[in-house]
């Protein structure tokens, strides 16, 4: 459903349905959506303009010595996969459900379809695959909507078992939570009205109001390199798009994959310049649950396997290819043990 800037907040909310997450029984597996942590809206849906992405193909896993200090070059390393049932996996089996932190309004990644009221998207498919591997074909998944800045607290406080929510792996976050191997590659990019004088993540931002999600890597980049912009933050990226539509912001900085969805939703905006960072998405888990990390990495190995007929490629073609063409496969896993 396309949106125009003039229709503003009222029609955007109509597309999303209720922002506050309610209790809803979903199809496929037994799934429940529980109330969001914190406040704020999510993101919406559409189809259209394309983000510029590198083409990543299947590769061979690499490894470095265990215990090495995290650096930008080694941040995506994780524990080697294992199907073993350790304490964390047994805990999930005992309670009979997997609680997953997600975004319920990110078109193509994790959003609630307004017609079916079902959660759909690339991240949702992956979360269901993890639940099925641990709990079997009739797995119960409890989806808990979490704002961007509540992803780490939700994992650390065990409000959720894991987070599958376009979450970038980096060293600062790895000090607080554990990550799986990378399952997607993106980059930070600028979104602005087509008529804007903003051209990229550069000095064309000077004097402009630039919105980004609180606690996101986009915020970190803007704080470090503001280019003279006035930085605004919001709980979720859709809030930034709403501000842009209402004339309360001049640009948005977010992951290119999410920016593509926002540009698809609103034909009056477009992506400016090229992605200026490398963003690898991973599944986040509690650092005290290494067996769960290994189990998720085993699921990801299975998800990637099969070449063009892999579960990863089928999900990519279903959810992402229209807006992010030219990706030939997932990023190769990297292991640090």
């Amino acid at each position: 459903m396309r949106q125009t800037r003039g229709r503003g907040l009222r029609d955007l909310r109509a597309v999303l349905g209720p922002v506050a997450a309610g209790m809803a029984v979903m199809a496929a597996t037994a799934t429940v959506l529980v109330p969001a942590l914190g406040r704020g809206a999510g993101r919406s849906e559409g189809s259209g303009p394309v983000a510029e992405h590198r083409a990543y193909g299947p590769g061979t896993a690499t490894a470095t010595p265990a215990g090495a200090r995290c650096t930008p070059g080694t941040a995506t390393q994780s524990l080697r996969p294992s199907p073993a049932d350790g304490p964390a996996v047994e805990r999930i089996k005992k309670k009979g459900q997997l609680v997953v932190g997600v975004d319920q309004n990110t078109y193509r990644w994790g959003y609630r379809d307004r017609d079916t009221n079902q959660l759909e998207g690339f991240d949702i498919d992956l979360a269901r695959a993890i639940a099925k591997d641990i709990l079997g074909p009739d797995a119960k998944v409890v989806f808990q909507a979490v704002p961007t800045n509540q992803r780490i607290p939700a994992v650390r406080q065990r409000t959720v078992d894991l987070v599958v929510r376009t979450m970038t792996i980096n060293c600062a976050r790895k000090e607080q939570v554990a990550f799986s191997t990378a399952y997607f590659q993106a980059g930070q990019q600028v979104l602005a009205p087509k008529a804007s004088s903003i051209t990229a993540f550069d000095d064309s931002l000077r004097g402009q109001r630039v919105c980004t999600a609180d606690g996101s890597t986009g915020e970190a980049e803007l704080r470090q390199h503001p280019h003279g912009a006035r930085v605004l933050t919001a709980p979720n990226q859709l809030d930034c798009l709403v501000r842009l539509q209402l004339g309360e912001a001049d640009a948005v900085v977010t992951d290119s994959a999410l920016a593509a969805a926002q540009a698809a939703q609103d034909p009056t905006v477009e992506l400016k310049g090229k992605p200026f960072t490398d963003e690898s998405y991973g599944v986040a888990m509690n650092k005290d649950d290494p067996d769960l990390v290994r189990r998720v990495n085993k699921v990801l190995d299975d998800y990637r396997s099969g070449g063009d007929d892999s579960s990863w490629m089928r999900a990519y073609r279903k959810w992402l290819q229209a807006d992010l063409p030219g990706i030939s496969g997932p990023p190769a896993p990297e292991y640090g043990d």
Side-chain angles (χ1 to χ4, degrees):
M1 179 70 68
R2 292 184 180 275
Q3 299 290 318
T4 61
R5 249 213 248 141
R7 290 170 68 181
L9 181 60
R10 178 174 57 83
D11 286 349
L12 186 61
R13 296 305 187 210
V15 170
L16 292 178
V19 172
M23 300 299 291
V25 178
M26 305 299 176
T29 56
T31 59
V32 175
L33 181 64
V34 300
L37 295 175
R39 60 184 177 84
R43 290 177 280 274
S44 185
E45 59 183 282
S47 60
V50 172
E52 182 173 338
H53 269 247
R54 287 187 283 172
Y56 284 84
T60 303
T62 60
T64 58
R69 182 177 179 273
C70 181
T71 67
T74 64
T76 55
Q77 293 170 1
S78 186
L79 300 176
R80 290 191 178 277
S82 171
D85 291 356
V89 174
E90 290 288 0
R91 184 176 65 244
I92 293 166
K93 287 186 172 183
K94 183 176 181 180
K95 68 183 179 181
Q97 63 184 29
L98 182 71
V99 183
V100 185
V102 297
D103 190 336
Q104 65 166 341
N105 295 308
T106 303
Y107 183 56
R108 301 199 188 283
W109 290 91
Y111 73 103
R112 193 150 52 113
D113 185 279
R114 67 170 184 169
D115 295 322
T116 65
N117 206 34
Q118 295 178 2
L119 281 179
E120 305 284 357
F122 191 87
D123 280 347
I124 302 303
D125 281 2
L126 177 55
R128 287 181 171 137
I130 295 169
K132 183 178 179 180
D133 184 86
I134 295 175
L135 296 171
D138 298 321
K140 181 180 179 182
V141 188
V142 177
F143 288 120
Q144 181 160 295
V146 292
T148 301
N149 64 355
Q150 291 299 312
R151 294 176 297 187
I152 288 176
V155 171
R156 289 171 60 90
Q157 297 166 15
R158 297 194 182 280
T159 306
V160 299
D161 296 310
L162 47 85
V163 165
V164 186
R165 193 190 181 282
T166 58
M167 188 168 179
T168 299
I169 306 167
N170 60 39
C171 290
R173 289 175 175 171
K174 288 185 78 171
E175 291 180 359
Q176 303 178 77
V177 298
F179 280 99
S180 69
T181 54
Y183 66 85
F184 196 82
Q185 187 79 23
Q188 292 293 305
Q189 197 162 1
V190 177
L191 182 77
K194 291 179 178 179
S196 172
S197 62
I198 295 170
T199 58
F201 189 71
D202 57 21
D203 287 346
S204 65
L205 296 176
R206 186 172 300 281
Q208 305 286 350
R209 299 162 299 173
V210 181
C211 188
T212 193
D214 183 28
S216 68
T217 50
E219 182 191 14
E221 289 292 329
L222 278 166
R223 297 299 184 193
Q224 187 173 3
H225 306 290
H227 292 290
R230 177 187 171 193
V231 180
L232 311 175
T233 61
N236 290 297
Q237 291 297 346
L238 181 60
D239 298 308
C240 286
L241 182 60
V242 170
R243 288 188 180 187
L244 194 65
Q245 291 175 319
L246 297 179
E248 297 173 359
D250 302 305
V252 174
V253 169
T254 186
D255 296 1
S256 52
L258 306 184
Q262 292 185 358
Q265 167 213 307
D266 186 343
T268 71
V269 301
E270 65 183 3
L271 284 74
K272 303 285 189 176
K274 298 180 179 180
F276 55 90
T277 64
D278 287 325
E279 309 279 332
S280 296
Y281 296 163
V283 179
M285 290 154 281
N286 195 286
K287 292 187 74 172
D288 291 333
D289 295 342
D291 64 300
L292 182 57
V293 176
R294 294 185 187 276
R295 185 62 170 265
V296 169
N297 283 340
K298 180 260 185 189
V299 176
L300 285 172
D301 268 7
D302 294 342
Y303 210 67
R304 298 183 190 101
S305 65
D308 197 52
D309 194 43
S310 68
S311 297
W312 193 97
M313 286 301 299
R314 291 198 300 270
Y316 163 71
R317 287 192 293 268
K318 180 178 181 180
W319 299 113
L320 306 179
Q321 188 174 40
D323 294 330
L324 303 171
I327 299 176
S328 59
E334 299 179 14
Y335 302 118
D337 66 334

